[in-house]
PDB file of all heavy atoms in Angstrom:
ATOM      1  N   MET X  16      79.352  -6.154 -44.338  1.00 40.00           N
ATOM      2  CA  MET X  16      80.400  -5.442 -45.062  1.00 40.00           C
ATOM      3  C   MET X  16      80.729  -6.197 -46.342  1.00 40.00           C
ATOM      4  O   MET X  16      80.777  -7.431 -46.352  1.00 40.00           O
ATOM      5  CB  MET X  16      81.655  -5.324 -44.210  1.00 40.00           C
ATOM      6  CG  MET X  16      81.446  -4.618 -42.908  1.00 40.00           C
ATOM      7  SD  MET X  16      82.950  -4.546 -41.950  1.00 40.00           S
ATOM      8  CE  MET X  16      82.310  -3.892 -40.421  1.00 40.00           C
ATOM      9  N   PRO X  17      80.998  -5.521 -47.416  1.00 40.00           N
ATOM     10  CA  PRO X  17      81.382  -6.183 -48.654  1.00 40.00           C
ATOM     11  C   PRO X  17      82.658  -6.981 -48.447  1.00 40.00           C
ATOM     12  O   PRO X  17      83.554  -6.588 -47.710  1.00 40.00           O
ATOM     13  CB  PRO X  17      81.585  -5.017 -49.629  1.00 40.00           C
ATOM     14  CG  PRO X  17      80.803  -3.890 -49.046  1.00 40.00           C
ATOM     15  CD  PRO X  17      80.876  -4.070 -47.566  1.00 40.00           C
ATOM     16  N   ALA X  18      82.732  -8.105 -49.107  1.00 39.00           N
ATOM     17  CA  ALA X  18      83.909  -8.950 -48.983  1.00 39.00           C
ATOM     18  C   ALA X  18      85.160  -8.237 -49.442  1.00 39.00           C
ATOM     19  O   ALA X  18      86.255  -8.473 -48.940  1.00 39.00           O
ATOM     20  CB  ALA X  18      83.712 -10.242 -49.791  1.00 39.00           C
ATOM     21  N   THR X  21      86.461  -6.209 -46.318  1.00 41.00           N
ATOM     22  CA  THR X  21      86.927  -6.950 -45.155  1.00 41.00           C
ATOM     23  C   THR X  21      88.018  -7.941 -45.486  1.00 41.00           C
ATOM     24  O   THR X  21      88.759  -8.369 -44.616  1.00 41.00           O
ATOM     25  CB  THR X  21      85.760  -7.704 -44.507  1.00 41.00           C
ATOM     26  OG1 THR X  21      85.242  -8.648 -45.451  1.00 41.00           O
ATOM     27  CG2 THR X  21      84.647  -6.757 -44.092  1.00 41.00           C
ATOM     28  N   GLY X  22      88.095  -8.334 -46.759  1.00 41.00           N
ATOM     29  CA  GLY X  22      89.078  -9.338 -47.125  1.00 41.00           C
ATOM     30  C   GLY X  22      88.667 -10.705 -46.638  1.00 41.00           C
ATOM     31  O   GLY X  22      89.463 -11.633 -46.581  1.00 41.00           O
ATOM     32  N   ALA X  23      87.400 -10.868 -46.256  1.00 42.00           N
ATOM     33  CA  ALA X  23      86.896 -12.146 -45.766  1.00 42.00           C
ATOM     34  C   ALA X  23      85.500 -12.357 -46.328  1.00 42.00           C
ATOM     35  O   ALA X  23      84.954 -11.497 -47.031  1.00 42.00           O
ATOM     36  CB  ALA X  23      86.866 -12.162 -44.248  1.00 42.00           C
ATOM     37  N   VAL X  24      84.919 -13.490 -45.997  1.00 39.00           N
ATOM     38  CA  VAL X  24      83.571 -13.782 -46.466  1.00 39.00           C
ATOM     39  C   VAL X  24      82.593 -12.826 -45.802  1.00 39.00           C
ATOM     40  O   VAL X  24      82.615 -12.643 -44.594  1.00 39.00           O
ATOM     41  CB  VAL X  24      83.204 -15.249 -46.133  1.00 39.00           C
ATOM     42  CG1 VAL X  24      81.774 -15.542 -46.545  1.00 39.00           C
ATOM     43  CG2 VAL X  24      84.177 -16.187 -46.830  1.00 39.00           C
ATOM     44  N   ALA X  25      81.748 -12.177 -46.573  1.00 44.00           N
ATOM     45  CA  ALA X  25      80.800 -11.209 -46.022  1.00 44.00           C
ATOM     46  C   ALA X  25      79.765 -11.925 -45.170  1.00 44.00           C
ATOM     47  O   ALA X  25      79.271 -12.989 -45.532  1.00 44.00           O
ATOM     48  CB  ALA X  25      80.114 -10.444 -47.150  1.00 44.00           C
ATOM     49  N   ILE X  26      79.460 -11.332 -44.008  1.00 43.00           N
ATOM     50  CA  ILE X  26      78.423 -11.867 -43.128  1.00 43.00           C
ATOM     51  C   ILE X  26      77.223 -10.946 -43.228  1.00 43.00           C
ATOM     52  O   ILE X  26      77.256  -9.807 -42.772  1.00 43.00           O
ATOM     53  CB  ILE X  26      78.928 -11.950 -41.676  1.00 43.00           C
ATOM     54  CG1 ILE X  26      80.131 -12.894 -41.602  1.00 43.00           C
ATOM     55  CG2 ILE X  26      77.822 -12.422 -40.751  1.00 43.00           C
ATOM     56  CD1 ILE X  26      80.727 -12.992 -40.219  1.00 43.00           C
ATOM     57  N   ILE X  27      76.174 -11.433 -43.844  1.00 41.00           N
ATOM     58  CA  ILE X  27      74.994 -10.601 -44.051  1.00 41.00           C
ATOM     59  C   ILE X  27      74.277 -10.343 -42.731  1.00 41.00           C
ATOM     60  O   ILE X  27      73.857  -9.250 -42.427  1.00 41.00           O
ATOM     61  CB  ILE X  27      74.036 -11.270 -45.076  1.00 41.00           C
ATOM     62  CG1 ILE X  27      74.788 -11.519 -46.390  1.00 41.00           C
ATOM     63  CG2 ILE X  27      72.816 -10.388 -45.308  1.00 41.00           C
ATOM     64  CD1 ILE X  27      75.380 -10.279 -47.014  1.00 41.00           C
ATOM     65  N   PRO X  50      83.622 -11.084 -37.723  1.00 89.00           N
ATOM     66  CA  PRO X  50      84.739 -10.477 -38.475  1.00 89.00           C
ATOM     67  C   PRO X  50      85.557  -9.516 -37.621  1.00 89.00           C
ATOM     68  O   PRO X  50      85.023  -8.798 -36.771  1.00 89.00           O
ATOM     69  CB  PRO X  50      84.029  -9.739 -39.611  1.00 89.00           C
ATOM     70  CG  PRO X  50      82.659  -9.447 -39.083  1.00 89.00           C
ATOM     71  CD  PRO X  50      82.311 -10.621 -38.221  1.00 89.00           C
TER      72      PRO X  50
END
Side-chain angles (χ1 to χ4, degrees):
M16 302 179 188
T21 62
V24 177
I26 299 178
I27 303 302

